[in-house]
Amino acid sequence: MPTALRPACWALWAAASVLDDLADQRDVAPADRAARVEAWTQALQHDLAMGTSADPVRHALVDTALRWGLDLSSLQGAMTTTHDDIGSRHFADWTQWRAWCSEEIVPWVDQVRHLFEQAGAPMTLRLDRRKDYEQFVDGTQLTDILTDLSEDLLQEDLLLPQEALDAFPGAEEDLRRGRWSPATAALIAELTALARHWVTRPAMTKGMHPGAVNVLDTAACLLRAQLDAVNAAGSTLLRRTPRVSVVTRTRIFAPARLRAAMAWSLTPLTVPGPRRPAAAAHVPRPATDMAALRPPPPYPGGARPPQIPADQMPAHVAVIMDGNGRWAQQRGLPRPEGHHAGTAAVHEIVCGALDIGLRHLTVYAFSTENWKRDTDEITTILEAIRRDLDEGPLRDLDVRQRWLGHPDKLPAELVQALQRAERRTRTGLTLTMCINYGGRDEITRTAAALAQAARAGEIDPRLIGEDDFARHLPHPDMPDVDLLWRTGKEQRTSNFLPWHATYAELHFTPGYWPDVDRRDLWQAITEYSRRQRRHGAAPLPPAGDDAFASPSR
């Protein structure tokens, strides 16, 4: 790490370690441990507001957040996971295990990435390398679990998915009893090989600053050395923690430090001056305190959303926001003015989605085809999106913001703003912004990811199904679109979410996007609730239809 970032990195590491230690105090009752984690988290919220702390670790974290302008609200999910992990942890399969890894590790890693970004050496993540990043995180966590196996078993923890244990009959019981058997040895050999494969992702660092590349490459070398130590431990793995030798660590660190000195000497880093005011920090909200999120402002005319039965509500509404430019021309304004007005309409629709209880809203903000437009209009659109993200009008609402698209050709400032927005943890409406997005491009890249997985032996190409394809999409947890709504008179889907919208109900309205408000969303959902969705099945008979009644005598 560059010298300027080390105190901040140590502060983040110390905070994560303290929370982990509070959760793992086995001589303390689970309820008391949960209370201690929650108390520490709430104390951090108070300390951030005060700008200081009597606790040394929280003081270091508060100082780091204020000095570097970190948004610690993204740590809420990790803190919640630590709180929930105090009970027993069991993972049925690798999918559940990976979700736990992501919740526990990624928010802390994102803070380190933000430090690099603030220092002027961004650790840029490419969306087409998302799988590499995820597997590197998985490999890091799996290496840590194998290393700490003896300590976890003493605490009756076995943090491996049942799917992996079941592949080696008898291994689970042997591990829990502390027995080194052929099944145990085979399981450990399989898992160390898997972890080694996951942490060896050379494509992950393409396009990054050389200093950041060196950090990640050195971490990968250390992880592989740790896996060598796990393999070499044999039966002693169940009795003590294996460690990398001093000779091996020196062999890795000596050249890495030389590379780091050269990389950072050539890069003028931006180091913050005096600390920012306490009010500038975004306070992490404890899992039990969601009241701090404000409700959406009511509609000015007093209109309330219709009452839609739960089984008739769409889970996912996707919107093609068409007509911004024509709205401006209709009023004798330059076309870019329509995009400014369209931004306000997005805020209004988000409020309407929150009012009615919608879970997923996806908006088509900028397509891959939009690059054909006038340069000034493109600049206006992208700058309006960036400014809106930085000003954060949705920040205090229960809205989880995500980005779907490709970073190529997008301004670096916009990409960083999108990534910052994604770091905030919310549990309500998921708002996905499609920026530099094209449906065919998404399918092509997903097919390439599948081909790469098949080449790596992770999937059998003869057995690939729809579920396999869906798992390799950029956001595999995005549900299918139930309702696709387009404004602006046009009646086509324009390369928007072709995989997700295969069975979507289509709703076209003539008004231009800047003229819509939340009542238009409610009307679209109301119309959706009246439609009969069959997905290829035969239509239901009308009420009272006796066509299938028993014949009369």
Side-chain angles (χ1 to χ4, degrees):
M1 291 287 186
T3 304
L5 295 185
R6 290 177 195 167
C9 290
W10 279 115
L12 290 165
W13 176 266
S17 299
V18 165
L19 283 167
D20 195 50
D21 290 345
L22 288 173
D24 282 343
Q25 290 177 316
R26 295 296 165 173
D27 57 337
V28 178
D32 291 336
R33 280 184 272 148
R36 292 181 184 185
V37 169
E38 185 172 345
W40 199 94
T41 305
Q42 289 178 337
L44 175 61
Q45 181 180 13
H46 172 268
D47 293 344
L48 275 166
M50 298 300 294
T52 188
S53 176
D55 177 87
V57 173
R58 288 201 300 271
H59 178 80
L61 187 59
V62 168
D63 183 78
T64 295
L66 298 179
R67 187 180 299 275
W68 288 92
L70 300 185
D71 182 354
L72 296 186
S73 64
S74 64
L75 295 179
Q76 177 190 328
M79 292 178 179
T80 302
T81 300
T82 301
H83 180 279
D84 294 345
D85 278 352
I86 291 170
S88 59
R89 289 169 286 191
H90 179 266
F91 314 107
D93 51 30
W94 283 111
T95 299
Q96 288 185 5
W97 184 87
R98 288 189 181 98
W100 169 69
C101 288
S102 178
E103 292 169 356
E104 183 142 297
I105 297 177
V106 170
W108 297 97
V109 175
D110 277 345
Q111 295 296 332
V112 176
R113 286 183 48 231
H114 186 54
L115 285 172
F116 275 86
E117 179 183 302
Q118 294 289 82
M123 192 180 285
T124 306
L125 302 185
R126 293 166 51 112
L127 291 189
D128 57 341
R129 300 295 181 189
R130 183 185 294 269
K131 185 71 172 177
D132 289 316
Y133 308 137
E134 291 172 349
Q135 289 194 333
F136 186 82
V137 169
D138 292 345
T140 301
Q141 185 76 320
L142 184 54
T143 302
D144 187 59
I145 289 171
L146 293 171
T147 299
D148 294 339
L149 190 59
S150 60
E151 295 179 11
D152 289 340
L153 289 174
L154 283 175
Q155 299 173 357
E156 300 183 353
D157 266 345
L158 186 53
L159 305 179
L160 297 170
Q162 195 65 45
E163 177 184 354
L165 297 170
D166 290 346
F168 297 87
E172 180 179 4
E173 182 180 356
D174 290 336
L175 281 173
R176 294 192 182 280
R177 293 178 176 272
R179 295 193 300 239
W180 185 260
S181 64
T184 303
L187 171 65
I188 298 302
E190 172 78 11
L191 293 178
T192 52
L194 184 60
R196 185 183 304 278
H197 172 65
W198 282 345
V199 301
T200 306
R201 320 304 299 175
M204 179 176 67
T205 56
K206 285 185 178 178
M208 285 187 185
H209 183 282
V213 171
N214 185 50
V215 169
L216 292 173
D217 285 349
T218 305
C221 287
L222 283 169
L223 289 166
R224 288 192 290 268
Q226 184 61 50
L227 290 168
D228 290 340
V230 169
N231 270 332
S235 61
T236 63
L237 181 67
L238 305 185
R239 299 193 299 273
R240 61 176 179 268
T241 302
R243 299 296 180 196
V244 177
S245 70
V246 174
V247 172
T248 301
R249 289 174 64 85
T250 302
R251 178 175 53 80
I252 294 171
F253 273 121
R257 284 174 175 144
L258 289 174
R259 291 194 299 270
M262 179 174 293
W264 299 122
S265 68
L266 299 174
T267 305
L269 295 179
T270 303
V271 180
R275 273 178 34 171
R276 301 182 183 187
H282 301 298
V283 179
R285 310 180 201 278
T288 57
D289 181 21
M290 294 304 293
L293 293 175
R294 63 180 174 88
Y299 183 72
R304 297 297 303 157
Q307 298 298 312
I308 306 292
D311 61 346
Q312 296 173 21
M313 265 288 291
H316 185 184
V317 174
V319 185
I320 301 176
M321 308 177 294
D322 197 15
N324 288 335
R326 284 172 286 162
W327 178 90
Q329 290 174 329
Q330 191 180 68
R331 287 158 175 76
L333 301 170
R335 283 179 59 88
E337 290 301 316
H339 300 296
H340 291 299
T343 300
V346 173
H347 300 162
E348 172 66 11
I349 294 302
V350 167
C351 291
L354 289 167
D355 283 337
I356 203 170
L358 186 65
R359 299 299 300 172
H360 290 266
L361 175 67
T362 300
V363 296
Y364 208 0
F366 189 84
S367 76
T368 50
E369 288 80 11
N370 287 153
W371 293 107
K372 301 172 186 175
R373 296 188 179 186
D374 179 77
T375 303
D376 289 342
E377 183 175 354
I378 292 173
T379 301
T380 299
I381 294 172
L382 300 181
E383 180 60 22
I385 295 171
R386 186 200 62 76
R387 187 183 304 110
D388 190 62
L389 289 167
D390 286 344
E391 292 174 356
L394 305 178
R395 184 174 294 156
D396 294 331
L397 299 176
D398 195 8
V399 177
R400 174 194 180 202
Q401 291 182 260
R402 298 202 301 185
W403 167 33
L404 183 59
H406 203 266
D408 286 357
K409 299 201 291 186
L410 289 179
E413 297 82 1
L414 174 57
V415 173
Q416 292 163 13
L418 289 164
Q419 292 172 342
R420 281 195 297 272
E422 286 187 318
R423 286 196 283 265
R424 300 187 188 99
T425 304
R426 300 290 186 268
T427 59
L429 171 70
T430 295
L431 171 65
T432 303
M433 301 176 64
C434 293
I435 302 171
N436 199 22
Y437 170 86
R440 287 183 174 179
D441 176 74
E442 178 183 50
I443 288 176
T444 301
R445 293 180 185 279
T446 303
L450 266 178
Q452 184 180 0
R455 185 177 182 180
E458 298 168 5
I459 190 170
D460 187 341
R462 297 169 297 179
L463 303 177
I464 291 176
E466 290 185 12
D467 289 345
D468 299 302
F469 190 92
R471 280 196 299 272
H472 286 78
L473 287 164
H475 290 313
D477 60 336
M478 177 185 280
D480 284 349
V481 174
D482 297 309
L483 173 62
L484 193 154
W485 170 29
R486 179 170 188 153
T487 63
K489 299 182 181 179
E490 305 293 348
Q491 297 190 16
R492 56 180 180 272
T493 58
S494 296
N495 198 23
F496 184 40
L497 299 175
W499 177 269
H500 300 88
T502 302
Y503 289 104
E505 295 292 321
L506 305 180
H507 180 71
F508 300 106
T509 54
Y512 296 139
W513 178 251
D515 285 329
V516 307
D517 61 37
R518 66 188 78 180
R519 295 173 301 173
D520 296 288
L521 173 66
W522 297 341
Q523 178 58 40
I525 291 175
T526 300
E527 181 175 321
Y528 168 89
S529 70
R530 297 178 182 138
R531 298 187 186 182
Q532 188 181 95
R533 308 191 74 206
R534 299 192 298 271
H535 297 286
L540 296 174
D545 193 335
D546 60 355
F548 297 101
S550 299
S552 58
R553 294 178 182 237

